[in-house]
Amino acid sequence: MDSSQAKKKLGVKPGHNGELTNGSATTRSLPNVNGRHASFSRRIPESPENAQGAPLSPNTDALHLLDVDGGLLDGKNGRNSLKNPQAVLDRKSSSPMMPAFITSAPGKVIVFGEHAVVHGKAAMAASISLRSYLLVTALSKSRRTITLRFPDISLDHTWHVDNLPWSTFAHPNNKKFYYDLVTSLNPDLVEAMQPHITTVSPKVPLEDRKIHQAAASCFLYLFLSLGSQASPGCIYTLRSTLPIGAGLGSSASVSVCISSALLLQIRALAGPHPDQPRKESQVQIERINRWAFVGEMCIHGNPSGVDNTVAAYGKAVMFKREDYEKPPYVQSIRNFPELPLLLVNTRHARSTAVEVAKVGALKTTQPVVTGLILEAIDKITESAHGLLSAPGFDKSDHDSLKVMGELLNFNHGLLVSLGVSHPRLERIRELVDTVGCGWTKLTGAGGGGCAITLLRPGATAGELKDLETRLEAENFERFETTLGGDGVGVLWPAVLKNGTEEEGGEEIDQDKFLKAEGREGVERLVGVGRHQNREGWKFWR
């Protein structure tokens, strides 16, 4: 539907949370603007799919601050046109009109089926409780800049909004709307971005520069596609508890964070609400997922789509792509149980392309045997899906988890047969088996990277401490995580009850976010990985 058709659909609709929308103006309550409770009055261009009750964006035609007792604070010059002139003295002119908020999305592991999935078989991937967090901080109306700040990779870059190639992205031949399905990058748009990408981190080492510019490309393509030249100046600050380059879907997690944040800013998402119908929630997740896939294309060229799908939906998915000329088959496993997982990083760099090529070469030289191994891996994946989907599966029952553990062992053994393991991965298995606290397999491409261990019910604190000591002694990186948690979520506004004395909760600002030390610091400040029911965070489910 084009914009002219969309305009014909405008009508008077009731909004959520006390919001009234008539297709041209919206008023909505907001907490504590410079110490005063206030609401926004803004003019919003509506589309047929525009969702009521989504968080407010200051991307407006008209913007005013309404004082609680009825006075109108003019957003342009700060004068109170009705009453309560003291309110003018309580706020700075040209202050930001949007509260800071945070989006978050999980990483992922391949539980069953890696390598077989490259050859048209099924794979099962699940979310993990290690996550990325994107803090969006609006600037005053006079500050026309966009800053991308990813301190964990030492990326800090600023663009001037008015200097970006808006005319190219807005051209009728190129323009995409938030509800569009984008399956390939537009070469004209990629070319138009290049002068603004090549200025990112020009003096850092080449490998770091590639990572910085890939992240910048992901952000800028989505920002220019979903925003407009009237978009407000903002700082986008990302922190993550995910290790980078370990095959855990860190880039997809970031893409989902960016996609959801930008869609929230243009009011293209409804919820999340506790009473939101499942069908409506799925529409929002898929919208986020589609644009996250666009971000993944900017980074990887031809991604499978499984990483961003898990990051957006959470829980687990079955993924199969028999024909690379067609979209993959993806089935969400909504009843996937949350399971305790030990994730261990070998700290050994690996190349996915090299490991995939090994299996491809084996399939050429040993087609029958390799084909049977890939078929066996596929049967293991199907068996695991059946086990986890069965009504009688009990995640706290040793016998149930033992069956799953045996399937993990089978899958790992077959991957070893394909030549994609590594001595460091085998050492992790040996240490876990020595302590006897779970079942271990490699995850992802292999050749290094990470191993996952499904923890045995009843594994004692002493056993886990013993394993931790052994792993640290051999320079492995260890994470206690949960398998199968929530997908994309939002903290709006960026306020949490963190046990502080701040009235109404602790406001998460740039300073606190940047000063959080390492993964543990980020987790303590804003994390939901180990706090799935942490008050304030909301998830589309």
Side-chain angles (χ1 to χ4, degrees):
M1 178 177 293
D2 60 27
S3 59
S4 62
Q5 292 174 310
K7 291 176 182 176
K8 294 178 182 179
K9 294 287 187 179
L10 298 179
V12 178
K13 300 178 182 179
H16 292 302
N17 301 325
E19 178 181 66
L20 293 178
T21 301
N22 64 4
S24 60
T26 297
T27 300
R28 192 170 196 195
S29 294
L30 287 177
N32 203 333
V33 179
N34 284 333
R36 306 185 60 80
H37 288 277
S39 63
F40 277 130
S41 174
R42 61 160 290 185
R43 195 162 297 277
I44 302 167
E46 186 165 358
S47 80
E49 296 184 52
N50 194 20
Q52 305 303 309
L56 183 63
S57 161
N59 184 4
T60 64
D61 299 316
L63 181 61
H64 302 283
L65 185 67
L66 297 178
D67 191 87
V68 286
D69 55 354
L72 176 63
L73 298 179
D74 185 82
K76 183 176 181 181
N77 55 32
R79 290 196 300 269
N80 187 317
S81 60
L82 295 181
K83 53 185 176 179
N84 194 12
Q86 179 62 35
V88 180
L89 302 178
D90 293 339
R91 70 182 285 268
K92 297 177 181 179
S93 61
S94 192
S95 59
M97 294 288 103
M98 178 181 64
F101 69 95
I102 303 175
T103 58
S104 178
K108 72 92 183 64
V109 293
I110 303 294
V111 189
F112 295 99
E114 48 269 272
H115 285 287
V117 71
V118 177
H119 300 277
K121 310 300 183 183
M124 180 188 294
S127 65
I128 54 176
S129 53
L130 303 177
R131 303 176 69 95
S132 297
Y133 300 88
L134 182 69
L135 172 65
V136 181
T137 308
L139 301 176
S140 61
K141 292 169 65 179
S142 60
R143 295 177 64 183
R144 303 288 298 143
T145 58
I146 294 294
T147 295
L148 197 59
R149 187 174 288 165
F150 293 2
D152 298 323
I153 59 171
S154 302
L155 169 60
D156 193 329
H157 189 81
T158 297
W159 297 276
H160 195 287
V161 174
D162 296 324
N163 293 341
L164 294 173
W166 294 107
S167 59
T168 306
F169 275 76
H171 190 280
N173 292 339
N174 299 330
K175 178 62 181 173
K176 296 295 182 182
F177 296 93
Y178 69 87
Y179 46 80
D180 286 330
L181 173 64
V182 180
T183 57
S184 62
L185 299 179
N186 184 321
D188 293 339
L189 303 185
V190 173
E191 182 180 356
M193 286 199 316
Q194 288 314 299
H196 307 276
I197 298 300
T198 55
T199 59
V200 175
S201 305
K203 297 181 180 180
V204 305
L206 179 60
E207 287 305 310
D208 292 338
R209 185 161 71 247
K210 287 180 179 179
I211 295 172
H212 290 192
Q213 293 186 354
S217 296
C218 167
F219 171 80
L220 205 55
Y221 197 101
L222 267 59
F223 179 73
L224 290 166
S225 296
L226 294 170
S228 73
Q229 195 164 351
S231 296
C234 283
I235 301 173
Y236 297 85
T237 307
L238 186 109
R239 301 298 306 272
S240 182
T241 61
L242 281 160
I244 296 172
L248 301 178
S250 58
S251 68
S253 174
V254 172
S255 295
V256 169
C257 286
I258 293 171
S259 170
S260 56
L262 295 175
L263 288 166
L264 283 167
Q265 285 189 287
I266 65 168
R267 290 179 55 83
L269 297 175
H273 305 299
D275 57 347
Q276 190 169 30
R278 172 74 183 282
K279 185 176 181 180
E280 181 182 294
S281 182
Q282 296 294 294
V283 170
Q284 316 312 312
I285 298 173
E286 184 54 29
R287 186 167 294 160
I288 294 167
N289 188 37
R290 286 180 176 185
W291 282 103
F293 180 71
V294 176
E296 282 282 86
M297 286 193 288
C298 293
I299 297 172
H300 298 295
N302 185 31
S304 67
V306 65
D307 287 12
N308 53 275
T309 299
V310 175
Y313 281 87
K315 291 295 183 180
V317 300
M318 289 286 284
F319 183 89
K320 191 172 187 177
R321 195 170 193 172
E322 296 179 287
D323 185 346
Y324 276 77
E325 298 298 320
K326 298 178 181 178
Y329 165 80
V330 180
Q331 178 187 358
S332 179
I333 309 174
R334 298 308 304 168
N335 60 344
F336 190 93
E338 292 187 17
L339 298 168
L341 188 76
L342 184 67
L343 177 69
V344 182
N345 186 2
T346 63
R347 299 184 190 264
H348 181 81
R350 88 285 184 272
S351 166
T352 298
V354 168
E355 302 306 316
V356 169
K358 283 183 185 178
V359 179
L362 271 180
K363 197 174 180 184
T364 299
T365 59
Q366 300 285 349
V368 176
V369 174
T370 304
L372 289 172
I373 292 173
L374 296 174
E375 187 68 30
I377 292 174
D378 190 45
K379 296 301 182 185
I380 290 170
T381 305
E382 291 179 2
S383 297
H385 185 206
L387 172 70
L388 294 166
S389 302
F393 181 80
D394 182 357
K395 66 179 184 179
S396 62
D397 177 62
H398 181 273
D399 290 339
S400 292
L401 284 192
K402 182 181 178 183
V403 176
M404 184 175 176
E406 289 170 346
L407 293 173
L408 290 170
N409 285 340
F410 288 152
N411 197 164
H412 180 84
L414 291 171
L415 291 169
V416 171
S417 301
L418 293 173
V420 295
S421 188
H422 184 272
R424 293 277 286 173
L425 289 166
E426 295 308 308
R427 180 57 177 161
I428 294 169
R429 279 178 51 84
E430 183 180 348
L431 292 173
V432 172
D433 289 346
T434 298
V435 176
C437 60
W439 302 270
T440 302
K441 69 174 281 291
L442 68 84
T443 182
C450 291
I452 55 174
T453 296
L454 178 66
L455 293 175
R456 172 175 53 80
T460 67
E463 289 173 332
L464 295 178
K465 183 62 179 177
D466 182 17
L467 179 60
E468 178 182 357
T469 301
R470 293 169 184 262
L471 291 169
E472 287 182 353
E474 299 190 27
N475 197 33
F476 291 107
E477 188 177 26
R478 169 185 165 279
F479 304 89
E480 286 187 22
T481 66
T482 300
L483 191 67
D486 281 314
V488 61
V490 60
L491 178 66
W492 183 294
V495 177
L496 279 171
K497 295 187 181 298
N498 281 342
T500 68
E501 295 181 358
E502 293 186 37
E503 183 179 355
E506 181 178 10
E507 181 179 350
I508 312 299
D509 58 19
Q510 282 283 322
D511 186 57
K512 291 176 182 175
F513 200 53
L514 288 171
K515 286 183 177 178
E517 293 187 12
R519 296 186 181 100
E520 288 297 323
V522 173
E523 186 70 42
R524 282 194 300 271
L525 183 66
V526 297
V528 293
R530 300 177 190 171
H531 310 277
Q532 292 291 341
N533 297 313
R534 195 168 192 173
E535 185 176 351
W537 281 101
K538 294 181 174 61
F539 299 89
W540 287 274
R541 292 172 170 148

